Amino acid sequence: MTDPAEPAEQTPHDDEHARAAGSAGGGEHTEGADGGAERLERAVRAAEQALIEFEVAVETFRIEVDNFSRLHHQRLGPMYSRLDELDALIAEAQAERTGDPEDKRRADEARALVMPMPGVEELFGGWLDSDGLSPEAADMLTGRPVSPPPRVRPSEAARRLYRELARMAHPDLAQDEHESDRRSAFIARVNTAYASGDVEALTALKAEWEAGPAPEEPARSRSEELYARLEWLAQRKELLVSVAKQLEEGAIGQMLKLAPDDPDRLLEEIAEELLTRVAEKEAKLAELARG
């Protein structure tokens, strides 16, 4: 599991800001103010890069959680369903043998747990995105084969390309609304490719960005604007900390903590455990059938 650790604090101390204003009088004041603005601008750029690194970590973890959830349901869902069915069959066989009303009640409860009617969230959970149905959902509804994520964690090559693209094209680096919209649309495509671990698509996106219009170099900002930028970056970081905490404290996040180095192997281990439980319950059911 990728640990979305907080970036190092980049905001300069207030006393340094005060000293950066320069001493009173003539050219010395101008030179000091210019030097302070340069240092402040460097601090803003460092904070921007730190925030991007943090966003990459949080997005990587979000994708791991999402992929693990989908793979968990796809690979292990049938086993859980089989266990529920076996529990119902065992309870029904036991009730038939004893004729006890309490056993009959337990059997009815066990049968009610088998394939319950899903709610809307369960039917469409994970299949809706900002544009409506996700590609997987569209494939499912049109009869085309659904392509699940091949693994929980994208490959090292995919992660490297994603990090490079985030550094180059992140919307937080935009200096005007038009440029921010262009970057946001591009990063949305990058996120889609990264979620599926598509190295070829990420490589093509990198070439596309490098060949596209280079963002204009921003003019030197005033100190007040730079301070405001630092404040916004700090607020954005706090929001990401909250998102990361929610992911880590969720059920899937907790499971991923059990296998931080190889989450795909964790799925295999759970599957092996479920197969053992299925075999035990099938043996018990056979024993009840023999009377």
Side-chain angles (χ1 to χ4, degrees), residues 262-276:
D262 192 359
D264 294 277
R265 175 57 189 165
L266 177 60
L267 285 174
E268 297 174 8
E269 293 174 354
I270 296 174
E272 292 170 1
E273 178 183 345
L274 291 177
L275 284 173
T276 300

Side-chain angles (χ1 to χ4, degrees), residues 54 109 123 132 154 160 182:
F54 190 35
E109 289 180 351
L123 282 171
R160 176 180 54 79
R182 183 175 82 93

Side-chain angles (χ1 to χ4, degrees), residues 52-291:
I52 289 172
E53 292 295 326
F54 190 35
E55 290 207 31
V56 168
V58 173
E59 178 65 13
T60 293
F61 186 49
R62 186 196 65 76
I63 286 171
E64 289 182 13
V65 169
D66 185 58
N67 286 356
F68 190 95
S69 180
R70 293 192 184 191
L71 289 172
H72 182 275
H73 178 74
Q74 182 192 46
R75 297 179 184 177
L76 307 184
M79 297 186 192
Y80 287 119
S81 297
R82 178 57 178 163
L83 285 170
D84 287 342
E85 175 67 22
L86 286 169
D87 283 338
L89 291 172
I90 290 171
E92 289 166 349
Q94 183 69 24
E96 185 176 352
R97 285 185 60 184
T98 64
D100 188 329
E102 185 63 19
D103 286 342
K104 178 64 168 61
R105 183 188 65 78
R106 294 194 186 98
D108 290 342
E109 289 180 351
R111 177 54 61 187
L113 294 175
V114 178
M115 296 184 66
M117 181 65 69
V120 173
E121 294 81 4
E122 293 171 308
L123 282 171
F124 293 101
W127 299 106
L128 292 170
D129 55 26
S130 59
D131 297 321
L133 288 175
S134 68
E136 294 93 336
D139 288 341
M140 180 176 66
L141 294 176
T142 55
R144 296 193 297 269
V146 176
S147 301
R151 54 192 295 180
V152 173
R153 179 173 297 160
S155 68
E156 183 61 36
R159 282 186 283 169
R160 176 180 54 79
L161 284 165
Y162 178 71
R163 187 176 298 275
E164 291 177 3
L165 284 162
R167 286 172 174 168
M168 290 189 296
H170 201 282
D172 286 350
L173 298 179
Q175 297 298 317
D176 59 67
E177 186 175 353
H178 174 73
E179 178 64 14
S180 178
D181 291 343
R182 183 175 82 93
R183 287 170 175 265
S184 295
F186 183 80
I187 286 295
R189 295 165 59 200
V190 171
N191 287 342
T192 298
Y194 183 51
S196 60
D198 194 336
V199 174
E200 183 176 346
L202 289 169
T203 301
L205 285 166
K206 181 182 178 183
E208 176 185 330
W209 181 263
E210 291 175 340
E216 297 180 2
E217 278 293 321
R220 183 181 295 275
S221 301
R222 295 177 302 172
S223 295
E224 292 80 5
E225 294 172 340
L226 292 172
Y227 280 123
R229 180 66 170 167
L230 282 173
E231 183 177 357
W232 181 89
L233 290 167
Q235 293 172 351
R236 176 67 175 170
K237 186 190 74 171
E238 291 303 315
L239 175 63
L240 288 171
V241 168
S242 176
V243 171
K245 183 177 180 181
Q246 291 178 8
L247 289 170
E248 290 177 338
E249 293 180 350
I252 296 298
Q254 292 295 317
M255 292 181 70
L256 284 171
K257 285 184 178 181
L258 298 176
D261 297 325
D262 192 359
D264 294 277
R265 175 57 189 165
L266 177 60
L267 285 174
E268 297 174 8
E269 293 174 354
I270 296 174
E272 292 170 1
E273 178 183 345
L274 291 177
L275 284 173
T276 300
R277 290 170 58 188
V278 167
E280 292 172 351
K281 290 182 181 294
E282 286 180 338
K284 183 176 181 179
L285 180 61
E287 182 180 350
L288 286 170
R290 289 194 297 269

Side-chain angles (χ1 to χ4, degrees), residues 1-19:
M1 178 186 70
T2 302
D3 182 14
E6 294 188 38
E9 184 62 46
Q10 301 292 339
T11 304
H13 294 296
D14 291 339
D15 57 348
E16 182 179 344
H17 289 161
R19 290 194 301 271

